[in-house]
């Protein structure tokens, strides 16, 4: 079927070009989506700007009631949303269902948090003056989301923006726009005022350039690669837009010699193989103390060999497809480079292709590489695939140095049963997020984001709504 873009409160007829969306597990065409033009983007911005003039003046209770209604509809339609996600993204159905519930939690959280945007009265230095501080919405927001989490990355941005009083235009990834389009059917059912929520699909470069040049777009929020994030920073400087960036990661997972091995194995599997390892906070380097290396590797290999790969709708499948050929080529290249430079292939290291479309239908077996060193590409480059490089260390400081040896600083993980070590290592890891004795750290109420070249700003919790607010100082003389 052919889909439409959404602005001015409804789906609009599209007279231009379309592009196809494929099932990454077999190459089947799932639908055709509008390749929106610059003119379409300009109309969407105009509608959203007009909507902001209305939306910002509504009460927090009014805005948050609509968000709560949207949450209820998402939960009601979670199975349908999850099925569409698995079709276009490839992740196992239960993972998709989990993402829908996780993403819906942002709608619920900010339907409550939007009522707690407080100002301040500050004691003045003069008797006849009063100092007031108030928080106001930043304005029209343009959000760009990735293919690996087609729903949660939208709600994590849209919910706090709407709760703060901003209007929001979303451009989902070209690989996975169908989940977003289904979600906007629910947005339409809720009945948000015209211009408050908009969705546009098409060429990211073309549409984003229009938004970046338009001074009415006051905020950019982006999740994706560091290279694109740097480009958006440059472009946003022309009109001095507020910007939030959640960029690349290269997460280490440290297993100290006093760790609970079974807990560490569970955490490794949870942090590595979700969505076939195509996750910005996925473990990319496992650092294991030499004393427990053999036991850890034995137990890890036993679990990895049990993992079933295949179509996300098949029973017991844990590993779905790699999103496209470019992705599988990068994974395979890193594995081969490591082996050529001395790493041992413990298991995996093989790919297969299904269907007639060469670009999609690629699967890669869950892989373990032992003996990885700094001279291998996989040590420094984010893999975005189901590969675990194992590196051995001798002492705590070496582990911390290895973990921090990267320009990225999104997520990190470590396992220890020592409370003293827990505090010291958590403080020394140069990352925005740290998982201590766990491989699952995402939550709607927690601040998500990184340091260094992994981004700017935070999403989630009360921290997330601040990204969509401006602070206004009012001085009154009486």
């Amino acid at each position: 079927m052919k889909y439409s873009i959404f602005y001015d409160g409804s789906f609009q007829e599209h007279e231009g070009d379309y592009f196809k969306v494929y099932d990454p597990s077999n190459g089947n065409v799932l639908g055709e989506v509008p390749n929106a033009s610059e003119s379409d983007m300009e109309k969407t911005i105009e509608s959203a700007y007009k909507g902001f003039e209305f939306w910002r003046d509504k009460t927090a209770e009014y805005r948050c009631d609509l968000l709560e209604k949207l949450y209820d509809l998402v939960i009601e339609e979670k199975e349908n949303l999850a099925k569409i996600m698995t079709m276009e993204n490839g992740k196992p159905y239960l993972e998709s269902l989990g993402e829908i519930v996780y993403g819906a939690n942002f709608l619920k959280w900010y339907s409550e948090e939007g009522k707690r945007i407080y100002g301040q009265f500050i004691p003045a230095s003069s008797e006849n003056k009063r100092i007031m501080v108030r928080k106001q919405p930043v304005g029209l927001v343009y959000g760009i989301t990735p293919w690996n989490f087609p729903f949660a990355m939208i709600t994590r941005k849209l919910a706090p923006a709407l709760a703060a009083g901003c209007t929001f235009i979303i451009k989902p990834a070209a690989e996975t726009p169908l989940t977003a389009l289904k979600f906007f059917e629910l947005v339409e059912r809720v009945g948000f005022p015209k211009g408050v929520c908009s969705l546009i699909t098409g060429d990211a470069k073309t549409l984003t350039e229009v938004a970046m040049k338009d001074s009415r777009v006051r905020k950019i929020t982006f999740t994706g690669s560091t290279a694109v994030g740097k480009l958006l920073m440059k472009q946003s400087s022309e009109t001095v837009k507020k910007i939030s960036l959640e960029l690349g990661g290269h997460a280490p997972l440290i297993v100290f010699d006093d760790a609970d091995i079974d807990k560490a194995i569970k955490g490794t599997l949870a942090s590595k193989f979700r969505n076939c390892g195509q996750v910005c906070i996925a473990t990319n380097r496992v650092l294991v103390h030499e004393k427990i290396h053999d036991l850890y590797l034995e137990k890890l290999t036993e679990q990895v060999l049990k993992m079933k790969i295949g179509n996300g709708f098949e029973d017991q499948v844990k590993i779905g497809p790699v999103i496209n050929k470019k992705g599988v080529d990068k994974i395979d290249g890193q594995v081969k480079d490591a082996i050529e430079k001395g790493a041992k292939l413990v298991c995996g290291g093989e790919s297969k292709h299904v269907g007639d479309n060469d670009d999609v239908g690629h699967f890669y077996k869950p892989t373990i590489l032992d003996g990885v060193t700094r001279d291998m590409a996989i040590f420094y480059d984010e893999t975005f695939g189901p590969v675990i490089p194992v590196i051995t260390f001798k002492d705590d400081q070496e582990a911390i140095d290895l973990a921090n040896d990267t320009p990225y600083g999104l997520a990190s993980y470590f396992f220890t049963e020592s409370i003293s070590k827990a505090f010291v290592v958590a403080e020394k890891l140069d990352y925005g997020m740290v998982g201590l004795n766990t491989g699952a750290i995402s939550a709607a109420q927690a601040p998500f984001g990184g340091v260094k070249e992994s981004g700017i700003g935070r999403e989630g919790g009360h921290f997330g709504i601040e990204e969509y607010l401006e602070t206004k100082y009012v001085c009154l003389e009486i």
Side-chain angles (χ1 to χ4, degrees):
M1 62 178 291
K2 288 188 175 181
Y3 293 81
S4 305
I5 59 177
F6 186 100
Y7 67 89
D8 214 25
S10 63
F11 287 97
Q12 307 290 326
E13 289 187 14
H14 182 68
E15 298 178 354
D17 298 331
Y18 288 78
F19 63 90
K20 294 177 180 178
V21 179
Y22 299 94
D23 183 332
S25 68
N26 54 33
N28 292 341
V29 177
L30 299 173
E32 295 185 31
V33 175
N35 188 19
S37 65
E38 292 182 7
S39 176
D40 292 323
M41 187 62 178
E42 289 165 358
K43 292 175 184 176
T44 304
I45 291 173
E46 177 67 22
S47 170
Y49 184 70
K50 289 180 179 178
F52 173 64
E53 294 176 342
F54 169 84
W55 185 246
R56 67 182 174 187
D57 294 331
K58 303 305 289 183
T59 65
E61 186 174 7
Y62 173 83
R63 295 195 295 257
C64 292
D65 281 352
L66 291 177
L67 278 174
E68 187 160 11
K69 288 177 183 177
L70 184 56
Y71 165 81
D72 291 338
L73 278 181
V74 168
I75 295 301
E76 183 182 313
E77 293 285 337
K78 62 184 179 181
E79 287 86 2
N80 290 329
L81 284 161
K83 288 174 184 176
I84 293 170
M85 186 186 300
T86 292
M87 284 191 292
E88 68 173 351
N89 172 278
K91 65 178 66 177
Y93 172 73
L94 289 179
E95 276 192 32
S96 295
L97 192 60
E99 181 184 334
I100 298 300
V101 174
Y102 166 63
N105 286 337
F106 288 98
L107 300 171
K108 182 68 171 177
W109 174 268
Y110 287 107
S111 73
E112 300 162 348
E113 190 65 20
K115 301 171 186 176
R116 294 190 285 267
I117 299 174
Y118 303 136
Q120 288 180 303
F121 276 92
I122 298 175
S125 55
S126 300
E127 292 180 1
N128 66 334
K129 287 188 176 181
R130 301 294 183 268
I131 294 175
M132 296 168 283
V133 178
R134 61 176 297 162
K135 297 295 181 76
Q136 295 186 172
V138 67
L140 167 53
V141 180
Y142 175 54
I144 310 166
T145 52
W147 52 263
N148 57 341
F149 288 92
F151 180 72
M153 295 302 96
I154 293 176
T155 57
R156 198 160 76 182
K157 300 174 187 298
L158 177 142
L162 298 190
C166 301
T167 51
F168 195 90
I169 301 171
I170 188 68
K171 198 217 79 66
E175 294 88 348
T176 57
L178 304 185
T179 305
L181 286 160
K182 177 64 178 178
F183 172 54
F184 264 68
E185 290 180 16
L186 308 184
V187 169
E188 186 176 36
R189 284 172 58 186
V190 168
F192 284 90
K194 289 183 177 182
V196 172
C197 305
S198 305
L199 182 151
I200 193 162
T201 56
D203 179 66
K205 183 176 183 294
T206 300
L207 300 178
T208 300
E209 283 181 355
V210 175
M212 299 307 275
K213 291 176 182 177
D214 197 316
S215 61
R216 293 173 297 179
V217 178
R218 297 308 312 145
K219 161 87 180 184
I220 301 295
T221 174
F222 169 76
T223 297
S225 72
T226 296
V228 173
K230 290 178 179 180
L231 177 62
L232 292 174
M233 287 185 72
K234 292 179 182 178
Q235 292 176 336
S236 66
S237 67
E238 294 300 315
T239 51
V240 194
K241 301 184 193 302
K242 195 168 185 177
I243 190 165
S244 296
L245 303 171
E246 195 257 286
L247 307 176
H250 197 41
L253 185 148
I254 308 172
V255 186
F256 289 102
D257 57 347
D258 63 348
D260 180 320
I261 297 293
D262 292 332
K263 191 183 293 183
I265 296 296
K266 180 181 178 182
T268 304
L269 297 174
S271 67
K272 175 70 259 185
F273 293 112
R274 188 159 51 104
N275 198 23
C276 192
Q278 301 169 117
V279 181
C280 57
I281 60 172
T283 290
N284 273 281
R285 296 164 295 151
V286 173
L287 313 173
V288 185
H289 195 284
E290 60 182 7
K291 290 182 180 178
I292 58 169
H293 168 271
D294 292 350
L295 178 59
Y296 172 85
L297 191 60
E298 178 187 342
K299 290 195 170 191
L300 178 66
T301 304
E302 180 183 351
Q303 294 302 314
V304 169
L305 289 173
K306 294 178 182 178
M307 303 185 87
K308 180 181 178 181
I309 65 173
N311 186 294
F313 288 112
E314 294 176 13
D315 190 39
Q316 301 299 316
V317 163
K318 299 295 184 184
I319 306 291
V322 179
I323 192 65
N324 53 32
K325 188 176 187 300
K326 181 180 177 182
V328 83
D329 286 346
K330 179 180 181 181
I331 297 166
D332 196 48
Q334 285 192 351
V335 170
K336 288 177 179 176
D337 172 78
I339 293 172
E340 288 173 2
K341 293 176 179 176
K344 177 186 175 183
L345 179 64
V346 179
C347 64
E350 298 177 18
S351 63
K352 71 173 183 176
H353 180 243
V354 177
D356 298 325
N357 188 332
D358 185 55
D359 189 53
V360 290
H362 296 276
F363 295 82
Y364 202 89
K365 285 188 176 182
T367 299
I368 301 175
L369 294 169
D370 191 26
V372 170
T373 56
R374 277 188 165 106
D375 63 330
M376 301 171 188
I378 202 167
F379 185 92
Y380 290 106
D381 295 336
E382 185 178 23
T383 306
F384 236 58
V387 182
I388 298 180
V390 178
I391 302 152
T392 306
F393 66 89
K394 297 179 182 296
D395 57 54
D396 295 356
Q397 189 57 52
E398 183 185 8
I400 294 167
D401 291 342
L402 286 167
N404 288 337
D405 188 12
T406 172
Y408 303 104
L410 189 56
S412 58
Y413 310 88
F414 71 97
F415 291 80
T416 179
E417 293 300 300
S418 165
I419 189 169
S420 298
K421 188 180 294 184
F423 275 94
V424 171
V425 176
E427 291 168 0
K428 289 187 176 182
L429 285 174
D430 201 6
Y431 292 83
M433 297 177 286
V434 179
L436 170 54
N437 289 338
T438 180
I441 59 175
S442 298
Q445 63 269 36
F448 190 104
V451 299
K452 299 191 289 186
E453 293 192 19
S454 285
I456 298 170
R458 294 295 181 269
E459 295 180 322
H462 70 271
F463 306 92
I465 205 165
E466 289 291 334
E467 302 289 337
Y468 299 93
L469 295 168
E470 297 283 17
T471 300
K472 177 178 282 187
Y473 156 48
V474 179
C475 182
L476 168 67
E477 186 171 325
I478 58 175

